[in-house]
Amino acid sequence: QGSQTEAKLNGYLIDVQTPDLLIEIQTRNFGSLRPKLEALLPDHKIRIVYANPQEKWLVKINAEGEMLERRRSPRRGRIEHLFQQLVYLPAYLQHPHFSLEVLMIQEEELRRNDGRGSWRRGGWSICDRRAVCIVERHLFEQPADFLALLPDALLEPFSTRELATAARIPTRLAYQMVYTLRQLGLIEQTGQRGRTRLFRRSSHSTSGG
């Protein structure tokens, strides 16, 4: 009750405005949210809802919109992929008015053979994306909640490469995790092994810091 979509507030367009919460729906490019968060977070609770495809189906359609082929993409999304976006917002993740809900979804990507698409797709253009269903929900209401994304098998102290191995993610993504968690004060450097930096959970992080 009392919710508005595409509402305007202080010169900004809000996806969903409720009496006590502003909701922004994102699929990528968290960096574009910084001016809006800077202006509105001091006086409003804001929740970013991030839809991340865990499973993607590639659907080829003809000019009339009829399905020609539907196959599952071999690439699968991971909850850890959200750190590719969180690196743009560490200062705002700590604000008491900020929260993040991650929806791991099954998605269909519609493609049409109009000759305008990437050569990698043989000229097929992506004409639409649509969510089929929600597979998982993850809610992060305070910085310490992000510690749950460190793998249980990870021993401390750990290097970035050891994090990548334990989580089964690319090293670049592990670096983005380490950067974000350090900015939030959730992990800290605890020495080196040769030239390799080692990290551990901060002493205050598990108390909600």
Side-chain angles (χ1 to χ4, degrees):
Q1 275 191 336
S3 298
Q4 291 180 287
T5 58
E6 300 296 320
K8 284 190 175 181
L9 179 64
N10 295 353
Y12 291 95
L13 195 64
I14 309 300
D15 290 331
V16 181
Q17 181 178 3
T18 73
D20 56 1
L21 184 66
L22 307 180
I23 299 173
E24 285 293 307
I25 301 170
Q26 294 288 115
T27 56
R28 56 185 62 83
N29 194 16
F30 278 22
S32 65
L33 289 171
R34 285 183 292 191
K36 188 179 293 187
L37 293 174
E38 184 74 26
L40 301 179
L41 264 180
D43 300 311
H44 303 275
K45 291 185 177 181
I46 299 179
R47 175 167 298 173
I48 295 177
V49 176
Y50 175 52
N52 184 27
Q54 178 172 300
E55 183 178 271
K56 181 183 290 188
W57 289 83
L58 309 178
V59 181
K60 292 183 176 181
I61 61 176
N62 60 20
E64 289 72 39
E66 299 170 332
M67 184 172 66
L68 304 175
E69 176 186 307
R70 186 177 188 267
R71 64 181 176 86
R72 184 163 59 185
S73 170
R75 300 182 65 179
R76 292 181 63 84
R78 297 277 303 269
I79 180 65
E80 292 89 352
H81 286 147
L82 75 94
F83 284 96
Q84 294 172 337
Q85 300 298 331
L86 294 185
V87 292
Y88 298 106
L89 300 180
Y92 303 104
L93 301 180
Q94 304 176 68
H95 199 286
H97 287 172
F98 179 93
S99 62
L100 170 68
E101 184 174 7
V102 179
L103 306 180
M104 301 300 295
I105 64 172
Q106 187 182 101
E107 179 186 74
E108 284 186 336
E109 181 178 279
L110 275 61
R111 298 180 176 184
R112 182 179 288 121
N113 190 11
D114 56 9
R116 300 176 183 176
S118 165
W119 64 268
R120 293 185 180 86
R121 296 189 297 271
W124 289 74
S125 290
I126 299 172
C127 55
D128 197 12
R129 290 185 174 93
R130 59 194 184 195
V132 177
C133 65
I134 297 173
V135 181
E136 296 176 357
R137 293 175 183 263
H138 302 267
L139 181 61
F140 303 91
E141 295 184 290
Q142 57 184 359
D145 294 339
F146 292 103
L147 283 174
L149 299 183
L150 290 176
D152 293 336
L154 184 65
L155 301 178
E156 297 187 23
F158 61 88
S159 67
T160 303
R161 288 187 179 276
E162 288 167 344
L163 170 59
T165 299
R168 298 181 181 179
I169 59 175
T171 303
R172 175 176 172 79
L173 183 54
Y175 272 103
Q176 291 169 326
M177 286 185 68
V178 166
Y179 170 80
T180 304
L181 296 177
R182 287 190 75 187
Q183 291 295 307
L184 294 176
L186 298 174
I187 63 174
E188 59 191 7
Q189 186 174 342
T190 185
Q192 294 189 189
R193 185 188 301 131
R195 295 185 177 181
T196 301
R197 295 180 179 182
L198 300 177
F199 305 95
R200 66 179 179 190
R201 290 171 176 82
S202 300
S203 57
H204 64 277
S205 61
T206 53
S207 64

